[in-house]
Amino acid sequence: QVQLQESGPGLVKPSETLSLICTVSGYSISSGYYWGWIRQPPGKGLEWIGTIYHSGSTYYNPSLKSRVTISVDTSKNQFSLKLSSVTAADTAVYYCAKSREMASVSDAFDIWGQGTMVTVSS
Amino acid sequence: SYELTQPPSVSVSPGQTASITCSGDRLGHKYASWYQQKPGQSPVLVIYQDNKRPSGIPERFSGSNSGNTATLTISGTQAMDEADYYCQAWDSSYVVFGGGTKLTVL
């Protein structure tokens, strides 16, 4: 079955760039589906960051678009998130997730990673 | 920007029916999805495309969507259903989540 695993530094300094990787197992990213990043600040709700297709097409949250880059590396079966100029407000659990339908960007996310906590602090 | 509004909390007695609403402009013209999240766990998809249940989700979970409101209904609510619930929709090339509803079973 498809599994997703987030990885990356748990602590990032203010003004620096947060970088995370989502490794997909049990399915080849190059075969389809949309892949997303979602975050959740401590004690708060879910916030969508962005979504990428295996071809590289991207969709970003307008409120984060100027700071976000999502890319895909099909050779490693991974997709990644970069968030620049971070502040304490970017402290959150970051999840990667897979779309339920293979070719529908607007569909729900049916498989989620376990999440990784990222703290922004000096 | 598009917004989805949920009540912060809903309470229900065991065995009763819980209804959680999600409101947004012309939401009925979009597909709504629902996620369940228990403390310390990742969200789990419980309803997609308004009223469809993924494999493994109990039949007591159902959904509807019309007008400006989508509703998640849990029939015969069990203690294990106590969790946060989030609605989600897609609007103009981006994903929107509701603020979440804490369901308390007491």
Side-chain angles (χ1 to χ4, degrees), chain A residues 1-7 21-25 33-41 44-51 79 92-101 105-116, chain B residues 6 33-38 40-48 54 57 84-89 95-98:
Chain A
Q1 71 280 24
V2 181
Q3 293 183 315
L4 287 73
Q5 178 68 58
E6 305 88 349
S7 60
I21 290 173
C22 182
T23 300
V24 179
S25 59
Y33 291 107
Y34 286 83
W35 307 89
W37 286 99
I38 301 99
R39 70 180 182 179
Q40 185 172 35
K44 297 188 178 181
L46 301 171
E47 179 181 31
W48 174 70
I49 300 170
T51 296
F79 61 104
V93 174
Y94 286 75
Y95 296 100
C96 58
K98 166 192 157 294
S99 71
R100 192 194 63 84
E101 280 196 350
V105 68
S106 61
D107 201 9
F109 295 111
D110 66 340
I111 297 176
W112 295 59
Q114 67 182 32
T116 186
Chain B
Q6 299 179 233
S33 302
W34 291 90
Y35 301 87
Q36 175 194 69
Q37 186 181 35
K38 297 182 179 180
Q41 298 183 17
S42 302
V44 173
L45 179 65
V46 294
I47 292 290
Y48 66 94
I57 300 301
D84 293 327
Y85 291 85
Y86 294 90
C87 60
Q88 178 238 307
V95 173
V96 181
F97 285 100

Side-chain angles (χ1 to χ4, degrees), chain B residues 20-58:
Chain B
I20 300 173
T21 59
C22 174
S23 298
D25 184 46
R26 295 167 59 87
L27 180 57
H29 290 262
K30 312 175 194 300
Y31 276 140
S33 302
W34 291 90
Y35 301 87
Q36 175 194 69
Q37 186 181 35
K38 297 182 179 180
Q41 298 183 17
S42 302
V44 173
L45 179 65
V46 294
I47 292 290
Y48 66 94
Q49 291 182 2
D50 298 338
N51 54 24
K52 297 180 173 62
R53 280 179 292 104
S55 174
I57 300 301

